[in-house]
Amino acid sequence: MIQDDDFRIFFSGDTGYFDGFKAIGEKYGPFDLTMIETGAYDPRWAFVHMQPEQTLQAHLDLRGKWLLPIHNGTFDLALHAWQQPFERITALAAANNVAVATPMMGEALDMQAPQAGTRWWETVEL
């Protein structure tokens, strides 16, 4: 976690889901922004990469305000379609009333005032 005065960010790095997210949220949360990996997943990689449902649960456990899905969309690393993590996490976020920021690769994001962004991955030609 990164803290600057009252502004708190959580960065997951590569990880599987574990109960430590809840403990971190209880001790250091709530977080203004959680940057949690949500791509390149496969059931066989459960200890190093999360499924989007686990990403959402980690965000909730951390008591995050805005979710910024990371570790996805740059290249096709897994057996799922490269845009699938964006589709799944945005649908889950919408169903659970979670604010999610999806800046396009290279687009600036004001971490203290995140924006939802566009569904840019739907317009990318492969």
Side-chain angles (χ1 to χ4, degrees), residues 88-111:
R88 286 178 61 186
I89 197 63
T90 55
L92 289 163
N96 289 275
N97 201 30
V98 168
V100 63
T102 56
M104 188 168 26
M105 297 299 154
E107 181 180 356
L109 175 74
D110 182 345
M111 290 190 283

Side-chain angles (χ1 to χ4, degrees), residues 25-32 34 58-65:
E26 289 170 357
K27 184 172 183 176
Y28 299 107
F31 288 92
D32 298 289
T34 65
H59 172 79
L60 296 173
D61 289 352
L62 292 162
R63 301 184 309 149
K65 295 176 187 171

